[in-house]
Every structure is written in structure tokens, then in C-alpha cells.
Amino acid sequence: MDYRKEFVVHPTKKLKLARIDPAQSGGHASNEAAQPEITKYVTRMAELQALLYANADQSLLVVLQALDAAGKDGVVRHLFSGMNPQGTSVFGFKQPSAAEAAHDFLWRAHQRTPGKGEVVVFNRSHYEDVLVVRVHELVPESVWSKRYALINDFEKLLTENGTRILKFFLHISPEEQLERFKQRLDDPARNWKISESDYSERELWPQYVEAYEEALVKTSTAHAPWYVIPANHKWFRNLATSQIIAETMEEMKLKLPPTRVDLEDVRRKYHAAAAAQEKRNGKG
């Protein structure tokens, strides 16, 4: 299945998240059945990231958005851990600091965008300013409603500077979210993930769905598409996301950079150094 075609958000079509089954699995029966494909795509992502880092003429920005417990951290852990950490970074967007709040809403995002040769993952992102801000009425509609166009302009600027952008909304059901909250309660190793806001934010589920539906449609573009990833099954979430990332990176035509030195001259120097070392060893 081509998950890029299957899950992309079309800006000309109305989006209703309730019509997308968060438990679908692409015909795979289990994690074990899907694992060979996941491994293939994750391995390919790492190989392509090595080429991206070596050539340093393009970059990749991956945006992860979701309601609580949908698996943003899991995507980062399972899909990006094999990449070279010298060229890969993850940034989580939390409540703005005083310095960040003193600037325009895109300022803090721009500070974290990837440089040439880098892969950057936004765990939450600049989209919080048309989601949380809207749902909690932190600014009036006259302010947040103008931000869709500003976000599109911002992402177009990044694209024109050589950054490929992929945006994923991890889609889970309320029932699955509650089950994951239970797992956090039952597992001492996960207790640290529990937040006071888990249940208060859950009460705002309909408002968040409405905000996401509008934001995804208004900001899904050819150069920075949104994908709605069914995420009730963690393994299918990983499969669909890794396929989309790997196949998009393939389209970037990544390759090793040309050699920047005279190889014959370097070979002569190597052989001279090796001969000198052998002579010194012989004297020893």
C-alpha cells in the first residue's frame, strides 16, 4: 500500500477525522507480520540520512502532532534512533518561555529548523499556536485565524531554502488514549509520563478535533503535506510513518558528495607516509 497517497490530507477536501479508522492496519495482522517492512524502511532512512549529512545541500524537517498518548515519543524512539546523532536532532515544543513569548509565534520554531545536511524532528511544533492557543482561547480568533497563512509562508520559505517538510498527525481513538493512560498508571516505569492536564485536556477532545481538522486542511500543501496516521496500533503507526519518510527521502535524490581532493596526490602521500613508518619500525 502507498501510504503517502492513502493518508495525505488534501487541501481541497473536507477532513473529518471521525471517518478515518484509527485502528486500521493496512492489511497486516500483527506487529510480527509488519516488522520486516518496518525494519526495511527504518534501515533505509538511516542510509539516506548518512548521504544527506555527507552532502549537506538539503535538509529534512519532520513535524509530529497528536493528542496526548498518541505516540510522538514512540515514533522518535523507533524510527530515528538509528540515524547519525551528529546530523539528527529532536526538539519538543512546550509552553513558550518568556523570551519566546516576547517574539512572534514562529520565532522559536525558526531557531530550531534544520541546517544543510540535518534531519530535525519537531515533537509538537509551531502548530500549537493554532491548536492549544485556539482551544484554550489564549488569543482571539482574529489572531489565530491569520496564522495559517503565516505558517504556509514560513514553510514555503524553508522549502525554497532546501528543506523538505513532512507533517504527521498521529490519530488515536478516545478509548485507546484511555487505555494508554491506564498503562501509565499501572507501570511504575511510565508513571513519570502522567500529567495533571491529561484528563482536563481529554475533556476538550471535540474542540481539539475541530481545531486539527481545520489546521490540517488549511496547511497541507504540495511542499509541506500533512498525513493522518492511524495510530491505535503502534506498529502500524511506525510502518506507515517510516514508509512515507523513506520514500520521500528517496525522492530527494541524495548521493555522496564529489571528492574534494586530488586522490592520486593523497595516495602518493599515503604511500610515502607508510614507507616512512615502516622504515622507523625497522629501526626500532
Side-chain angles (χ1 to χ4, degrees):
M1 182 181 292
D2 185 343
Y3 298 125
R4 289 193 295 175
K5 291 182 179 179
E6 182 74 14
F7 298 136
V8 70
V9 175
H10 295 278
T12 58
K13 296 182 181 180
K14 191 171 184 178
L15 175 65
K16 281 295 181 184
L17 290 172
R19 296 176 184 166
I20 301 174
D21 180 7
Q24 65 179 283
S25 59
H28 295 278
S30 65
N31 178 33
E32 290 73 22
Q35 199 57 50
E37 280 192 68
I38 298 171
T39 299
K40 178 182 73 172
Y41 290 125
V42 170
T43 300
R44 188 58 181 149
M45 283 170 56
E47 293 170 347
L48 291 166
Q49 185 260 339
L51 297 179
L52 178 71
Y53 180 72
N55 207 24
D57 65 344
Q58 300 180 74
S59 57
L60 176 66
L61 173 62
V62 176
V63 174
L64 301 176
Q65 287 285 159
L67 292 163
D68 292 335
K72 298 182 301 299
D73 292 345
V75 168
V76 172
R77 183 170 63 254
H78 290 289
L79 304 192
F80 295 92
S81 59
M83 289 187 173
N84 182 350
Q86 290 188 93
T88 311
S89 58
V90 179
F91 184 74
F93 285 78
K94 301 184 184 299
Q95 185 173 343
S97 66
E100 290 168 342
H103 292 80
D104 68 271
F105 80 99
L106 288 169
W107 180 80
R108 65 174 182 159
H110 214 152
Q111 309 305 303
R112 302 292 180 169
T113 55
K116 301 292 187 182
E118 294 179 344
V119 174
V120 169
V121 182
F122 282 0
N123 186 336
R124 301 194 185 274
S125 68
H126 45 296
Y127 283 92
E128 295 295 288
D129 288 282
V130 292
L131 297 167
V132 173
V133 164
R134 170 179 172 169
V135 170
H136 286 277
E137 300 180 346
L138 300 180
V139 299
E141 181 176 355
S142 60
V143 173
W144 59 253
S145 63
K146 296 176 182 177
R147 291 177 173 174
Y148 303 122
L150 295 172
I151 287 172
N152 287 337
D153 289 342
F154 169 63
E155 292 176 352
K156 183 66 173 176
L157 172 66
L158 296 181
T159 301
E160 292 180 350
N161 194 49
T163 298
R164 197 68 178 261
I165 303 173
L166 292 172
K167 301 177 295 192
F168 299 95
F169 172 68
L170 308 181
H171 179 40
I172 63 170
S173 66
E175 295 81 6
E176 179 62 22
Q177 184 193 63
L178 199 59
E179 174 59 28
R180 294 182 187 184
F181 284 172
K182 180 179 183 299
Q183 291 170 4
R184 290 178 180 181
L185 280 171
D186 293 344
D187 183 356
R190 299 185 189 184
N191 286 171
W192 67 273
K193 289 188 174 184
I194 298 172
S195 168
E196 291 285 350
S197 67
D198 286 346
Y199 297 93
S200 60
E201 291 293 280
R202 180 179 165 83
E203 291 299 314
L204 298 170
W205 190 287
Q207 293 92 320
Y208 272 110
V209 167
E210 182 180 8
Y212 267 111
E213 287 172 344
E214 183 170 3
L216 269 57
V217 168
K218 288 191 172 181
T219 60
S220 188
T221 60
H223 57 273
W226 272 107
Y227 298 92
V228 176
I229 305 297
N232 273 15
H233 297 296
K234 297 176 182 180
W235 50 268
F236 182 70
R237 172 202 71 198
N238 294 340
L239 171 58
T241 305
S242 62
Q243 185 200 87
I244 292 169
I245 295 173
E247 292 186 352
T248 300
M249 293 180 77
E250 293 279 5
E251 287 183 350
M252 295 169 72
K253 306 298 183 186
L254 301 168
K255 57 185 179 180
L256 289 173
T259 304
R260 297 180 175 88
V261 297
D262 183 336
L263 286 177
E264 290 306 314
D265 183 54
V266 172
R267 284 192 180 95
R268 285 192 293 270
K269 291 177 180 178
Y270 165 76
H271 289 301
Q277 184 64 49
E278 186 177 356
K279 186 176 181 180
R280 285 194 294 270
N281 290 344
K283 285 185 177 180

